[in-house]
Amino acid sequence: MSIDTDTARRVAKLARIRVEEEALPALASEFNTILGFIEQLNEVDVDGVEPMTSVTPMHLKRRDDVVTDGSQPEKVLANAPDAREGFFAVPKVVE
C-alpha cells in the first residue's frame, strides 16, 4: 500500500492536524516508511510464540475481592466540603 499526498492530506484532516501544502509530500513519505516497517513485521514468523505484555515475565499480585467499608471513614470524610452523619452531603439537584 502506498500513501499519496491526497491520502496524507485526508489523514491529517481526520486527525485534525494542520499540515502546510508543501509539507504533504514529506508526510506521505513518512507514512510510507511506517507502512513499510509494518509490512516487514508482518513477514516475521510468529507461529508458536505466545503473546506477551512485557519483555520480562511479570505476575500481578492477587488479592481476594472482598467488600469492606475501608476502615477509615474519618479520613475519607475529612476532605468532604460537607459531611453529615458519616456521609457526604451534597446539594439537592432534583426538585
Side-chain angles (χ1 to χ4, degrees), residues 4-14 21 24 27 31:
D4 58 359
T5 54
D6 290 334
T7 306
R9 181 182 298 109
R10 185 164 184 258
V11 170
K13 181 179 178 185
L14 290 172
E21 194 67 30
L24 284 173
L27 181 62
F31 284 154

Side-chain angles (χ1 to χ4, degrees), residues 61-72:
K61 295 179 183 177
R62 304 277 183 184
R63 64 173 173 81
D64 293 332
D65 191 12
V66 179
V67 176
T68 66
D69 64 357
S71 304
Q72 305 177 35

Side-chain angles (χ1 to χ4, degrees), residues 32-46:
N32 285 320
T33 302
I34 293 168
L35 290 175
F37 180 68
I38 292 170
E39 287 175 7
Q40 285 180 350
L41 290 176
N42 285 333
E43 294 173 4
V44 175
D45 180 22
V46 292

Side-chain angles (χ1 to χ4, degrees), residues 42-91:
N42 285 333
E43 294 173 4
V44 175
D45 180 22
V46 292
D47 289 338
V49 177
E50 292 186 29
M52 303 170 32
T53 57
S54 174
V55 294
T56 57
M58 298 173 65
H59 300 284
L60 296 175
K61 295 179 183 177
R62 304 277 183 184
R63 64 173 173 81
D64 293 332
D65 191 12
V66 179
V67 176
T68 66
D69 64 357
S71 304
Q72 305 177 35
E74 296 82 19
K75 288 183 180 179
V76 172
L77 293 173
N79 293 324
D82 187 9
R84 297 179 194 156
E85 300 175 16
F87 296 98
F88 288 98
V90 295

